[in-house]
Amino acid sequence: MNAQKVPMFFIKPKQKKLKMIWRVQKNGNVSLLVGTAHFFPYSFRNALQRCLQNARIVMFEGPLDEDNMARVRQAGMNTESSYHLFDELDDQTVAGITGALIPVCRMRNSTQFFQYCKDDLKQTVYDLVQGMQPWLAFFTLWSTYLQRNGWKYSVDMEGYGIAQALGKKIIFLESIEEQIKVLQNISHEKIMVFLKQTDQWETLANVYVKSYLEGDLEKLRLSGIRFPSRHHSVIDHRDQIFFERMQAELARGNVVAFLGAPHLKGVSRLLLADGYQVKGPWLPQ
C-alpha cells in the first residue's frame, strides 16, 4: 500500500523548548525578558503563548508591522546610484555568495551549459541586491541564505503576532528612525569581511542554533563575534536605552520584554545594579 501524502495544512511547525527566558523581580513585581532570534529554524509558538497569556504589557525593540518594515527597506535603497555591493568584492567571493544562496547547477554533459548556468545564477543574486546600500544588501543576502536553509521562523514576529491576537498592550522601545540609524552605522568593513567567509556560514549558523536552544548567552556571544551587527554601537549602547525605557513598567511588573538575545547579558547587568533579582533560563510551564 502506498503511503498517503499528508496535506501541508496538517503539518505542524517544528516546536522547541524556549530556554531564552529570564525572570526579573523587584519588590515582589515579576517580569520576563525573552531573548529573541530574528531568524530561526524552529518555532516557539507554544512557549510564547504561555509566556504572554497573562502579561500586562508586551515590549519589543522596535515596530514590526509591514509599513515600518517597508520604511526600513526604503531607507536602504538608492536606485539613482550606480553603486553595487559586488563591485567591492572579488570574483571568488561573489561565486561563494552565489553558491551559498542558490544550489549549484548540475554539470550535465555540456561545459557550455554549466558556464551558462553559473552566469545566470550570478545575475540572479546580483539583481537581488541591485540598488541597495551595503547594510541592506548584506542583511538581504544573509536572510535569504537562512530562509533557503529552513530558517522560516522569527521569535520576534511570533511573539508580536501572539501579543496582537491576545489583545495585549504593546510598547516599542525604539522608533523606526532610531533602528534605521543603527543599521546605517553598521561597520562597512565588518560587512565585507563577513561576506568573504561564506565557507563558514553553515558552521556559524549551526553553532548559533545550538547555543540559542541551550540558553547559553556566552556561547551565543562567541558564535556571533564576527557578525557585523555584533558591535558595541549596536549592542552596548542600546542596552542602556532599553534598560532606561523599560524601567517604569518593569517597576510595576507583569511585563514580557522581547530583546535580541545578545542584549540580555548587558540589560541583566543593569537590572542587577538597580536592585533586581535576575534568574534564567526560565522555562514556561
Side-chain angles (χ1 to χ4, degrees):
M1 181 182 294
N2 293 329
Q4 293 183 342
K5 187 175 181 180
V6 180
M8 287 299 294
F9 51 82
F10 286 128
I11 297 177
K12 296 181 179 180
K14 295 180 286 186
Q15 293 275 335
K16 290 288 184 179
K17 291 183 178 179
L18 180 59
K19 295 184 180 180
M20 277 290 175
I21 304 178
W22 268 247
R23 187 175 185 271
V24 301
Q25 179 176 353
K26 184 178 181 181
N27 299 326
N29 295 317
V30 179
S31 293
L32 301 177
L33 299 181
V34 179
T36 69
H38 302 317
F39 297 97
F40 210 68
Y42 301 108
S43 168
F44 297 101
R45 177 165 292 276
N46 292 343
L48 294 174
Q49 186 84 30
R50 290 192 289 271
C51 283
L52 294 171
Q53 195 67 48
N54 298 313
R56 180 177 60 87
I57 285 178
V58 184
M59 297 181 175
F60 295 91
E61 289 184 22
L64 294 166
D65 59 279
E66 291 184 8
D67 288 343
N68 278 294
M69 294 301 97
R71 289 179 63 186
V72 172
R73 181 177 175 81
Q74 184 179 13
M77 297 298 295
N78 188 1
T79 55
E80 296 181 0
S81 172
S82 61
Y83 170 84
H84 194 287
L85 180 72
F86 284 11
D87 294 338
E88 296 189 64
L89 302 172
D90 57 68
D91 290 343
Q92 183 178 354
T93 298
V94 172
I97 294 171
T98 302
L101 265 62
I102 304 177
V104 178
C105 291
R106 295 181 179 179
M107 188 176 295
R108 298 189 180 179
N109 297 321
S110 170
T111 303
Q112 287 184 337
F113 175 83
F114 181 62
Q115 186 60 45
Y116 168 79
C117 188
K118 288 200 302 181
D119 292 343
D120 192 47
L121 293 180
K122 178 181 175 182
Q123 186 64 46
T124 299
V125 178
Y126 185 95
D127 293 343
L128 179 67
V129 294
Q130 177 74 51
M132 292 184 181
Q133 296 180 31
W135 64 267
L136 181 59
F138 156 68
F139 278 112
T140 300
L141 293 171
W142 178 239
S143 63
T144 301
Y145 169 77
L146 295 177
Q147 289 166 0
R148 292 188 176 180
N149 283 278
W151 292 48
K152 59 181 180 178
Y153 301 103
S154 164
V155 180
D156 310 78
M157 294 305 297
E158 278 197 320
Y160 182 60
I162 293 169
Q164 284 185 309
L166 293 174
K168 301 298 181 181
K169 180 179 179 180
I170 294 174
I171 292 177
F172 299 115
L173 300 172
E174 290 180 318
S175 67
I176 199 64
E177 290 80 11
E178 288 174 311
Q179 294 208 313
I180 289 172
K181 185 176 180 180
V182 169
L183 294 171
Q184 291 173 332
N185 288 330
I186 291 176
S187 168
H188 185 85
E189 180 183 358
K190 284 182 174 291
I191 288 175
M192 294 297 114
V193 170
F194 189 82
L195 292 176
K196 293 177 181 179
Q197 298 177 337
T198 53
D199 60 322
Q200 299 179 41
W201 283 10
E202 182 178 359
T203 299
L204 178 65
N206 289 338
V207 172
Y208 180 88
V209 170
K210 187 175 185 295
S211 302
Y212 187 90
L213 291 176
E214 292 175 352
D216 192 324
L217 290 180
E218 185 58 21
K219 284 184 180 179
L220 199 68
R221 183 186 71 83
L222 293 174
S223 72
I225 206 160
R226 292 166 294 168
F227 199 72
S229 62
R230 303 293 174 83
H231 188 265
H232 66 82
S233 64
V234 179
I235 305 298
D236 301 346
H237 172 66
R238 295 169 71 223
D239 289 347
Q240 184 68 38
I241 291 175
F242 294 149
F243 167 70
E244 292 174 356
R245 296 178 183 178
M246 288 192 300
Q247 278 185 313
E249 295 298 344
L250 284 181
R252 297 176 59 194
N254 205 17
V255 171
V256 177
F258 287 77
L259 302 176
H263 291 288
L264 287 190
K265 193 169 185 178
V267 171
S268 295
R269 188 182 299 116
L270 293 168
L271 288 168
L272 287 168
D274 195 42
Y276 281 84
Q277 294 178 320
V278 181
K279 295 182 180 180
W282 180 82
L283 296 178
Q285 300 300 315

